[in-house]
Amino acid sequence: QVQLVESGGGLVQPGGSLTLSCTTSGFIFRLYAMVWYRQAPGKQRELVARITSGGLTNYTESVKGRFTISRDNAKNTLYLQMNSLKPEDTAVYYCNRPTFPLSWGQGTQVTVSS
């Protein structure tokens, strides 16, 4: 069964950190680029960070230097380390493949607030 399960979100104060995980199943994870997206209330879903099958990464400008995307192919898991969080990072975070996208998971809520 093909599945994407995001976890690790929560409520954090500005300047804090969180690490998100995306556990995958049902496809050969190591062969695919993967992406973290986020969707804030009333806004469209946006790409946050991307990692190729070979480990090359890129980020949307607003998170550069603060977020780090990584993957563990042995665990079929994608990660997003988020540091120096800002209120504008508040959103539901999702993972997916940028090509041949899968059905969306439930996402994980990140709320940055004092």
Side-chain angles (χ1 to χ4, degrees):
Q1 181 182 1
V2 177
Q3 202 170 14
L4 302 169
V5 180
E6 301 91 349
S7 62
L11 173 62
V12 62
Q13 292 187 341
S17 299
L18 284 173
T19 300
L20 307 184
S21 299
C22 168
T23 302
T24 75
S25 59
F27 66 100
I28 305 174
F29 176 76
R30 61 181 172 82
L31 296 182
Y32 291 89
M34 294 294 295
V35 172
W36 280 102
Y37 301 88
R38 67 186 179 188
Q39 187 166 18
K43 295 187 177 181
Q44 289 190 332
R45 191 170 291 166
E46 65 167 343
L47 187 152
V48 175
R50 182 178 184 271
I51 186 167
T52 69
S53 57
L56 297 177
T57 60
N58 54 61
Y59 302 88
T60 192
E61 193 64 34
S62 63
V63 308
K64 283 183 180 178
R66 300 189 298 121
F67 290 12
T68 302
I69 188 171
S70 62
R71 64 191 299 157
D72 186 334
N73 290 336
K75 295 182 178 180
N76 296 327
T77 302
L78 179 73
Y79 301 99
L80 186 68
Q81 173 68 44
M82 307 187 295
N83 298 326
S84 302
L85 282 161
K86 303 176 180 180
E88 51 263 43
D89 296 317
T90 295
V92 180
Y93 285 70
Y94 302 87
C95 61
N96 212 327
R97 304 187 315 202
T99 54
F100 306 106
L102 304 170
S103 296
W104 293 97
Q106 83 287 352
T108 187
Q109 175 71 49
V110 173
T111 302
V112 185
S113 175
S114 55

